[in-house]
Amino acid sequence: MVSKRRLSKSEGNESLTEDASNARKQPLSKRTRKSHVYNEVEENDSAFVKLLKASGIILKTGESQNQLAVDQIVFQKKLFQTLRKHPSYPKIIEEFIHGLESYIEDQDIFRNCLLSCERLQDEEASMSTSYSKSLIKLLLGIDILQPAIIKTLFEKLPEFLFESTNSDGINMPRLIISQLKWLDRVVDSKDLTTKIMQLISIAPVYLQHDFITSLPEIIGDSQHADVGKELSDLLTENTSLTVPILDVLSSLQLDPQLLSKVRQLVISKLSSVKLDDLPVIIKFILHSITATDALEVISELREKLDLQHCILPSQLQASQSKLKNKGRTSSSGNQENSSKDCVFLLFDVIKSAVRYEKTISEAWIKAIECIAPESEHKTFDLVMLLIIYSTNTQTKKYIERVLRNKIRSDCFQEQLLHSTFYIHYLVLKDVCPSILSLAQNLLHSLDQSIILFGSFLYKYAFKFFDTYCQQEVIAALVTHICSGNEAEVDIALDVLLELVVLNLSAMRLNAVFVKGILDYLDKLSPRQIRKLFYILSTMAFSKQHEGSSHIQDDMHLVVRKQLSSTIFKYKLIGIIGAVTMAGIMAADRSSSLTQGKADLTNEQYTQVTSLLQLVHSCSKQSPQASVLYYDEFANMIQGAKLAPKALEWVGQTIFNDFQDAFVVDLCAIPKDDYQFPVKALYGLEEYNSQDGIAINLLPLLFSQDFAEDEGRMASQEPDNKLVSPLCLAPCFRLLRHCVERQHNGNLEEIDGLLDCPILLTDLEPGGRQESMSVKERSFMCSLVYLTLNWFREVVNAFCQQTLPEMKGKVLTRLKHIVELQRILEKYLSGMPDCIPLLAIFHLETLDITSRTSTAVSAKIKKQEMTGGRKRKAGGNKTSSHDTLSKEDGSECDPTPSNQGQLEKEFKGKEEKTVSLQDYRCLFRELDMEVFSILHCGLVTKFILDTEMHTKVAEVVQLQPPELLFLLEDLSYKVENMLTPSVARRVLFLKSKGSQNIGLSNLQQRSSQEVAHCIVQLLTPMCNHLENINNYFQCLAAENHGIIGGPGMQVQEYHLMSSCYQRLLQIFHGLFACQSFHYLQNFHQSIPSFQSALYLIRLLMVILEKSTASQNKGKIASLARHFLCRVWPSEEKERSSIPNDQLHALLSIYLEHTDSVLKAIEEIAGVGVPELVNSSKDAFSSTFPTLTRHTFVIFFRVMMAELGKTVKGLQAGTASDSQQVHEEKLLYWNMAVRDFSILINLIKVFDSRPVLHACLKYGRLFVEVFLKQCMPLLDFSFRKHREDVLSLLETFQLNTRLLHHLCGHSKIHQDMKLTQHVPLLKKTLELLVCRVKAMLVLNNCREAFWLGNLKNRDLQGEEIISQNSQESTAEDESADDTSSQVSKSKASEHGEEDEASDGDKEQKSDENDDDSN
């Protein structure tokens, strides 16, 4: 056979050689040659050729295709039958294969056999397909030939492994392997798999890749496991084949354990793979995830996958390449594009997985959610949340919740968001609509940190995305601004302000959207209007961008229209807009490069001055409009740097106007022209009658109020019309800011206004107030009010002067302010309907006068009608930091009850009091710089008398009344600027402008700036706190350890106590930068319960930011100390402790104590019995804060905390250890014992609030018992029968008492109580069924029986109104007897049923009760 094979080979070679020689001898055209080759047919006598020819294939020589004369299936069938029926079968098979081997020795012939056959032209058109397989492919379809042909192919294939591709582009190894794809049947799949895997092991790398990717199309399903195992082994040996191997493994049906092993191997190598390979690798990992291991795999994947280091370096390299090779292309550009493509492919794979696989999306969100706060989050985490948010609508709420939690815990901060957009902006751009939707939802939050994060989304979407997305961002922000929600408007305007600075040219393209907000100006606050005009003015008048005339024209039109409006509200809007525009137009744009020489051109100077003159002329007819104009102008000069030419013009104009309107010489004081004697008062220097200046206040006010009555108005010329005295303080504020700007903070030019006197009359009302007419009293009230506001602005102006003489004068003016506030309170108490004119005019204050008048009148009328007892009740409604004495001269939150009490003590008579809190809008705002006065020391009369044995004559130091005045104002600022918006949410139907009245200047600063200013005051405030602490320690020492002893000075005591409270309140609002231990040391000398609560809250705030867990126990210890302390009470008052504050402190104690159950047992088992056994007005000796009046607070808090505590205990499971079961059973025994003690207290304290708390929290406790204790009893019953029995017996008595309480509520028809009865009865019925189920589970069903309980009241008396139950109901003793009967009849486990029985008894009765 070998010789025949060689003969066949030589014959074939000879034939080919002869043909080739003939072709060389006779050159022919291309067509002729092809025709000649086409007609050459292989002719020899081998069995191979004869059999093929007989079956329908004509073998061709040279480059011609083999011809198929019949259908492919017909050929295979005829050849198969011919071979099977051949006389020499199966030997003919061997001869056929040998003939094939000899025939394909020639490479060209072999290639022809691997290529598809050609159909004969005259073949019938009914062929099933136009495609013809190759000869080898057809032979492989015959089962008896397939193994031998496969063997031949694999023997032939190594010859071509290391040869280059032919000139015709055909790769022989790939062509050979392609013959094995998609075979209808593989006879010996195992052998085929073995051969191809051996081939892969020796093939070159580029062929290995092709062979591996062809495996799914070659091998059968039965070989998937073997191939998968071998590929996994190959993966560990050769990482360069990772991509094709994983691609193949994804297509095979493999064992989950093998997939898990491969996945783990791949994940471990993620950090070292190329970016190009990541898409395939991530696809394999995600497709191999199952529901059970999804969370674990995703968590490990996000830990190992660091896209930031994969993507960012390539971007940086590309950007550097662009800088170096500007204008010419290079390979780096292609590399950058390739990296971008890989990134897109990667995220496409991830998007597809999270979109169609709910398990993957939920696991990914859960993996991010479970990251500990202290762990570092990646940009990839944020990108994934945004992608899932955009692709899966069902998880949007879940993602928003995760985002909110991460933002609150400071895991997602601005820097992380910026990095995310910077690295992945190309991917995020595709989900821009979803990002804007998310930002919109976050801006609807009540949490300031979440709102801020939403604003960052808008900001960076505008910064990194294209023009279309930028337009969408602006449109979304404009929608927020026009929504009417104040928080949304503020944050949206802040974002627009940032975008103007970030990319002014892009903002100018969207100016048409921003201009649309001008139609909604009447819905914006002054601060918001100011921001809007600042944004538009910046876009319109920026020097860097010309061509903004259309914006300028629109703004000028709007401003002029508003200024000329006859409606006062719109005039105010025009003033704000015009002043803001002028500030941008006249801004000093000089820099270090211009050396400060840049100034306004003449045209610009004319525009600015013309605009300001227009505003002045439009506002001078109205004092209110003038006040707003001066204040807006002053704030603009304070916050912006004007060009020198404009500043000089403004300064000179204002100086002349102020001097002409308000300053007179002392020698020119009028004597007899007024009803009140005019005097120059409150001067700080000695002036003779011919020297010095004075503020012309009384004549101006008198001319305004009394001129019409005296007929002077007609005699005055229009040009000589006097300026309203309301403009005195605002005009001075503008003047001093101009002087400060011009002279770098030096006020020497106007320092005479600090100590100059004021033309007034005697302000102290004395006994002449009753003899004054209503108009005269109103005049005096306004005069005091205007003087007070003048001094407040003077203190604002000169508070930062460094000369000791100036400091002394400022302190004196501060003392005058406190004195004037006391005088003003006296006038207002006699005239509750008298409301002085406003000192600050903004849109929020337009309706404040009527509102204030109504509130004050109602309060005074209530005091007159209800007397001292009602005043006390009214005092309880005020916040804890509002209890101040009247003698303090406070403007912030004085409590009427305390004021009235102090008036009795100080003056011996009762007067009607007025809280200046209701007049807060009347006073000029104190600047933050004023509080630098706190650096002055504190000197009290008490300390001087006992330690220094002398009295102070003239000491330039801060006194307690002035200190309290400053602390009250600072506390109000802290509360409104630093307290989270959620904590001070505006109530429904409450005016949004009434919340921050008097803080218009402060609101122009950010919370961070305010906090920074207050941090600078920490040292002096701590010094004051220590001095006050020393005062109370000395006081306690003088009175044998009792702070509120009989020897104290009442006025001074209350002043110092209020200062103590305000300092702690400020520290709490500031978030406390001092240490925990430092503040804890002050607890011994706390003078009031309110101060104690603020100290506790302050320490809790510090604890939240601290890692020291032991401080939690200190909080509980300190709270218990305050609960066990005797607090001084006011005269004729039952308690000086407000209920809400006691509730808060007791809750803090129970929340922070180590054992809530022990603490409740101590209070209910020790403190309450002490109270029960004492007299009516006494208190518990262990807990002095526990009285009959405060018992309901203690009861309510203990019931609520008991429910919270047991709810936090996890329900037991059968798999828990025996020790765990015993510990939980013991815990529930203690909880039920505490519940029993509390429930039984209603027999003694049966007031309506106590019963309400019992019904409400009793039901909650029973529900928790059902859900978390009954499963524990199910599998603890057999081993701890006695303990379970005892527990259920105790609980039976408690539920029986709850049943009696339901009957009591129905008899008394108390709606507040009966609304809880249906739910409570339903819960008790469920308890009966649940106990029965427990007995059935433990094979004690026969021990269960059901009885009826009669409805009884709290004292155990039967309720006889239900006659229908008389025939079936048993009395309580019968129930007990029946329980004993049940116990005797039951099996060994029947004892337990007795307890359950009782529950069932009571439940059955409840059913009967409902039926009736």
Side-chain angles (χ1 to χ4, degrees), residues 8 28 66 205 222 334 379 391 468 537 560 740 850 896 956 1347 1368:
S8 175
L28 300 174
N66 297 323
V205 175
S222 61
N334 296 331
T379 59
T391 57
Y468 172 77
S537 300
R560 290 177 181 272
E740 280 182 341
S850 59
V956 185
T1368 58

Side-chain angles (χ1 to χ4, degrees), residues 1344-1397:
F1344 177 83
W1345 63 273
L1346 201 63
N1348 292 326
L1349 286 176
K1350 283 189 176 182
N1351 289 304
R1352 302 178 184 272
D1353 57 20
L1354 295 180
Q1355 307 305 325
E1357 299 295 331
E1358 181 182 349
I1359 300 174
I1360 61 175
S1361 60
Q1362 299 177 347
N1363 297 325
S1364 61
Q1365 292 186 355
E1366 290 181 358
S1367 60
T1368 58
E1370 301 177 5
D1371 58 18
E1372 190 125 15
S1373 60
D1375 288 332
D1376 294 338
T1377 304
S1378 64
S1379 296
Q1380 295 297 327
V1381 172
S1382 171
K1383 184 174 180 180
S1384 63
K1385 290 180 179 180
S1387 61
E1388 180 181 4
H1389 301 294
E1391 289 181 84
E1392 177 192 275
D1393 291 318
E1394 179 198 21
S1396 99
D1397 248 341

